[in-house]
Amino acid sequence: MSRAMARKLDEMPRVELTESHWSDEQKAEFLRRRRARNFLLLAALGGFCLIVYVIALVKLHEYGQMW
Amino acid sequence: MSDHVSEFLSNSRAVPHLGAEPADWIALLKPRVVSLVVFTGAIGLLIAPGHINPLMAAIAIFCIALGAGAAGAINMWYDRDIDAIMRRTTSRPIPAGKISAAGALGFGIVLSVVSVLLLAMATNLCAAGVLAFSIFYYAVIYTIWLKRRTPQNIVIGGGAGAFPAVIGWAAVTGHIGLLPMVLFFIVFFWTPPHFWSLALYASTDYEKAGVPMLPVVKGARHTRWNVFIYTLILFPLALSPWFMGLAGAIYGLTALVLGGAFIYYAWGVLRDDQDEKGVSLSKDAPARAAFKFSILYLFLLFAACAVDRLV
């Protein structure tokens, strides 16, 4: 498949079912996945802040300054 | 529309788009590749002279893993068209329709920036600079520039996997020494026999996708010779840290035994019988064995280097 074809596929609308067509199970699955993604994002942001905080503490402790 | 395109469409478009699972995002980071990168990066940290705070060392290894994963995500974004064709890669998150191409690219870029920034803060600019260059090397030089243009793609692209030991060393010392450079070239010359062994039994997949891997362009016999020659080059190179006094007898003897075993496996690949079309009569059993052994080879060689330094 050429890259032009790949680009065309990217631009094509997904043949997906809209929420109104979803069964109860699909709705529940969608909500579960969205919740999991949001928690993952929250954990990633929290982890990033924690790492920056730890780096700052260690650098301040070792050298009395960040750089 | 070809069968491949129809298959791609049916795989990725006509399904209810319920969103990706966290595991799909993790799959985008190529966790198996990252595990090897983390290992070689950690060895680089361990063998470097000097002291680093253990917390900073852990963050440095995390950043190396994150950077390698980010480069993997960008690779999957660019290669989504050929991934949809090759049997080995059709289940990857983008061709499987679980993650959008733009989402994967954004994910890769954000993680690249975060990993380099964090490494610069935790260690030094030298380590962060090498990490940034290694991401660029894999994502742009190998994936975008070389992979689809030349059968020597993985020879030059092998450099991408060779950086972590240098990054680990630089994280501790703030500069690039002779030993990490030797380790760099060991991984560099290890990559062709490792990858071409795989390519020998996956060549139909690469041919289907139009990727000019060596077995596709030059044939199986030529590739077998190259696997053997690169393994022969690797043998003295792996011993060189011992000869140069950079590593001791534990490393030297390990390199000697492992090198001999690798040459034995490469000899098996060279001697494998094939028909006139280059198809192996043993279903590429020697190539599969050589591929598996090459992974063990690198793990044991680097582990011996660390043990030698620490004992």
Side-chain angles (χ1 to χ4, degrees), chain B residues 144-156:
Chain B
I144 296 176
W145 183 33
L146 294 172
K147 187 174 176 179
R148 302 184 191 207
R149 282 185 172 79
T150 166
Q152 296 299 317
N153 47 17
I154 55 114
V155 176
I156 306 160

Side-chain angles (χ1 to χ4, degrees), chain B residues 173-199:
Chain B
T173 62
H175 61 83
I176 298 165
L178 183 60
L179 182 56
M181 282 314 294
V182 174
L183 295 179
F184 175 94
F185 282 109
I186 288 173
V187 181
F188 189 87
F189 281 94
W190 164 87
T191 306
H194 164 75
F195 215 90
W196 281 332
S197 297
L198 167 76

Side-chain angles (χ1 to χ4, degrees), chain B residues 42-56:
Chain B
I43 298 295
L45 271 164
L46 278 173
I47 62 173
H51 169 76
I52 184 170
N53 183 293
L55 272 174
M56 295 301 101

Side-chain angles (χ1 to χ4, degrees), chain A residues 1-17 22 25-34 36-37 40-41 44 47-59 61-63 66-67, chain B residues 1 4-5 8-9 12-22 24-25 51-53 55-56 59 62 77-82 84-85 94 97-101 114 117-124 148 208-209:
Chain A
M1 194 189 322
S2 67
R3 298 207 60 76
M5 177 65 81
R7 269 197 297 277
K8 269 185 186 169
L9 285 169
D10 286 342
E11 287 160 9
M12 283 169 64
R14 284 177 179 272
V15 188
E16 64 190 30
L17 301 174
W22 285 354
E25 288 80 19
Q26 283 176 327
K27 273 181 194 166
E29 178 64 13
F30 172 75
L31 289 174
R32 188 189 69 74
R33 288 187 187 193
R34 193 171 63 178
R37 187 197 62 189
L40 198 69
L41 274 174
F48 178 75
C49 294
L50 185 71
I51 290 173
V52 172
Y53 187 64
V54 167
I55 292 170
L57 281 182
V58 170
K59 294 280 174 185
H61 178 71
E62 283 186 347
Y63 310 114
M66 273 290 277
W67 286 283
Chain B
M1 199 179 291
H4 299 316
V5 177
F8 179 80
L9 282 168
S12 63
R13 302 282 148 176
V15 291
H17 189 58
L18 299 175
E21 297 269 17
D24 298 323
W25 293 101
H51 169 76
I52 184 170
N53 183 293
L55 272 174
M56 295 301 101
I59 291 172
F62 173 73
W77 161 75
Y78 190 78
D79 278 350
R80 61 194 183 281
D81 54 340
I82 55 176
I85 295 169
I94 303 175
K98 292 173 180 169
I99 292 174
S100 69
V114 167
L117 276 179
L118 281 181
L119 191 62
M121 287 170 67
T123 61
N124 53 66
R148 302 184 191 207
K208 207 163 73 172

